[in-house]
Amino acid sequence: MTAETAASPLAPEWLAVPADLNALHAPMWAAGVERNDAGELAIDGIPVSELKARFGTPLFVMSETDFRARARAFKDAFDAAFADICGGVDVYYAGKSFLCTAVASWVAEEGLRLDTCSGGELAVAARAGIDGANLGLHGNNKSDAEINRALDMKLGRIVVDSLDELERVAKIASARGEVAKVMLRLTPGVHAHTHEFIATAHEDQKFGLSMAEDSTEEAGLSAAEEAVAAATAYPSVELLGLHCHIGSQIFEPEGFALAAEKLLAFLAAMQSKYSITLPELDLGGGYGIAYTPVDTPRPAAEIAQAMAAVVRSSCAELGIKAPRISIEPGRAIVGSSTFTLYETGTLKTVRVDAPAAALAGAAGGENVTFPRRYVSVDGGMSDNARPVLYDADYSAVLASRTSLAEPQLSRVVGKHCESGDIVVRDVYLPADVAAGDLLAVPGTGAYCWALSSNYNYLARPGVVAVRGGAARWIVRGETEEDLLNRDMGVANV
């Protein structure tokens, strides 16, 4: 490595200078994404320049083939691992990660079920023709309208998040003369190694019923046990079982194992104490993907085998029949199936004071600065809010061509009027990146379009699905006319 290509002192420790800036780190990309003979990024043979010409930028580019393969891999791997335990697994695709009618249809066709979190997501499922028995409804504050819609659609399960909500579901179902199928979401107190806002199994957050004994005013009962007792007493509720979700973007298996052990022990205790059968247990999702070259996601089969081993041994120790297991992968299916395509605009380089480690080597305490280049693209936090919300890291590559230029530490930023409008905080890009070049950011299938906004009145990008060398809209990009159609001002008086 030459002096010019040495790692920048401004780069985070995990970010290495790539040996080849034109290479693609396979775990971050969908199958079928590669550079063509001209050096241009292509998906299923379609070059990004063609996608830009046909659909514009910014643009979410999804491999339908890759999505389906990942969905099928989860279903096949978990069915095989749990065949001897509970006859297989119900895999619910977490629609909150990304949902449209096409994706809902793919999920059903690959043998998965669908998890929703709102009336709007239920509406998408209904438009896609998904059988209500294969749907679940989450949410910490479901409206009466959403509960009624779930009952109208004869949902396979409503995941209840609190004692108040359990009572409301029971009352609504009773008034309709129906029985609601319910699971109780519990917080097992397992702390996943992830960002605070996407770790959801600790006590101090809005989701779930606490398993801690001092979590309710009822002497000696946890909120979780109080909910079990109440649910079994409501004639309008069928208690299917228990549910937990410990967080998102998790690579270590220990958290999943501990949560499974705690919930199975609780399930066994409740079955014995209340003389009931709880036939189902949902262990959630949260499996991590590769956003950067240092991320190490585990294959679906490895995850399945590890979880099956814990369930098998725990049930044997507790002396109980294993419940039917379900899981909820979302990001792990859709995340790497998609990349976002941007066009580069303005570029500028600033000088930044060196961190303390670099200053320690400076002679006489002299001020040492290093360059950081800002590469602006035609999207930003309106199509990827995760960096500003969660300090999420991403990567990027020059997509419209290859380059032999030296690596330069860069920060890919959007066009919004916010200093925190950062798409990729730190990445090495070729020094000759220029206005008009296309950049691709991989791993944007989950929680990017779903969290998109119209900040600064930017139209939200569309989503193109590619399969067999053909590309088509599955979500049309917005236009300025779309934005103005909801404005009930002068033009619509």
Side-chain angles (χ1 to χ4, degrees), residues 34 88 239 252 260 387:
E34 59 186 2
L239 181 56
E252 301 85 358

Side-chain angles (χ1 to χ4, degrees), residues 8 29 97 112 136 152 181 241 247 252 319 345 365 380 387 410 456 477-478:
S8 168
W29 298 89
S97 57
L112 278 65
D152 289 341
K181 296 181 177 181
E252 301 85 358
S410 303
N456 292 155
E478 287 181 328

Side-chain angles (χ1 to χ4, degrees), residues 118-119 122 137-139 141-155 158-160 164-174 176 178 180 182:
S118 70
L122 283 176
L137 177 63
H138 272 285
N141 187 29
K142 303 175 190 68
S143 67
D144 288 0
E146 288 170 331
I147 294 169
N148 275 292
R149 175 177 268 177
L151 294 171
D152 289 341
M153 295 176 65
K154 302 187 185 307
L155 252 63
I158 299 173
V159 182
V160 169
D164 285 349
E165 185 174 83
L166 176 61
E167 181 180 6
R168 289 175 52 239
V169 170
K171 286 183 176 179
I172 291 172
S174 178
R176 295 168 58 109
E178 300 178 19
V182 163

Side-chain angles (χ1 to χ4, degrees), residues 60-63 67 93-107 114-115 121 124 329-335 337-338 444-452 461-465 473-476:
F60 290 103
V61 183
M62 173 185 285
S63 168
F67 180 100
Y93 169 70
K96 62 185 178 180
S97 57
F98 174 71
L99 188 63
C100 64
T101 55
V103 162
S105 298
W106 302 345
V107 165
L114 177 62
D115 176 62
E121 290 182 357
V124 173
R331 180 197 321 264
I333 293 175
V334 71
S337 75
T338 304
T444 56
Y447 305 105
C448 291
W449 187 92
L451 285 168
S452 61
V463 184
V464 165
W473 286 121
I474 55 172
V475 179
R476 175 181 60 80

Side-chain angles (χ1 to χ4, degrees), residues 16-213:
V17 180
D20 181 359
L21 286 172
N22 302 307
L24 303 178
H25 183 62
M28 298 192 301
W29 298 89
V33 175
E34 59 186 2
R35 291 196 183 273
N36 60 20
D37 291 342
E40 187 175 353
L41 200 69
I43 176 169
D44 280 6
I46 304 176
V48 291
S49 59
E50 180 180 328
L51 294 172
K52 158 73 176 176
R54 289 179 58 190
F55 303 106
T57 54
L59 180 69
F60 290 103
V61 183
M62 173 185 285
S63 168
E64 178 183 345
T65 303
D66 189 82
F67 180 100
R68 287 178 177 271
R70 293 175 192 270
R72 194 162 53 249
F74 266 94
K75 179 61 176 168
D76 292 348
F78 273 82
D79 274 348
F82 282 83
D84 67 315
I85 301 173
C86 55
V89 168
D90 296 321
V91 180
Y92 284 77
Y93 169 70
K96 62 185 178 180
S97 57
F98 174 71
L99 188 63
C100 64
T101 55
V103 162
S105 298
W106 302 345
V107 165
E109 289 165 6
E110 297 303 332
L112 278 65
R113 303 186 183 198
L114 177 62
D115 176 62
T116 67
C117 292
S118 70
E121 290 182 357
L122 283 176
V124 173
R127 175 69 64 87
I130 307 301
D131 187 341
N134 293 325
L135 296 172
L137 177 63
H138 272 285
N140 68 299
N141 187 29
K142 303 175 190 68
S143 67
D144 288 0
E146 288 170 331
I147 294 169
N148 275 292
R149 175 177 268 177
L151 294 171
D152 289 341
M153 295 176 65
K154 302 187 185 307
L155 252 63
R157 64 187 192 183
I158 299 173
V159 182
V160 169
D161 204 82
S162 65
L163 289 162
D164 285 349
E165 185 174 83
L166 176 61
E167 181 180 6
R168 289 175 52 239
V169 170
K171 286 183 176 179
I172 291 172
S174 178
R176 295 168 58 109
E178 300 178 19
V179 175
K181 296 181 177 181
V182 163
M183 298 189 80
L184 301 177
R185 177 167 178 171
L186 310 187
T187 53
V190 176
H191 290 257
H193 298 290
T194 186
H195 189 281
E196 178 185 359
F197 295 157
I198 54 177
T200 57
H202 57 83
E203 300 295 332
D204 190 14
Q205 47 91 25
K206 71 176 186 174
F207 291 112
L209 292 146
S210 175
M211 296 172 67
E213 289 188 1

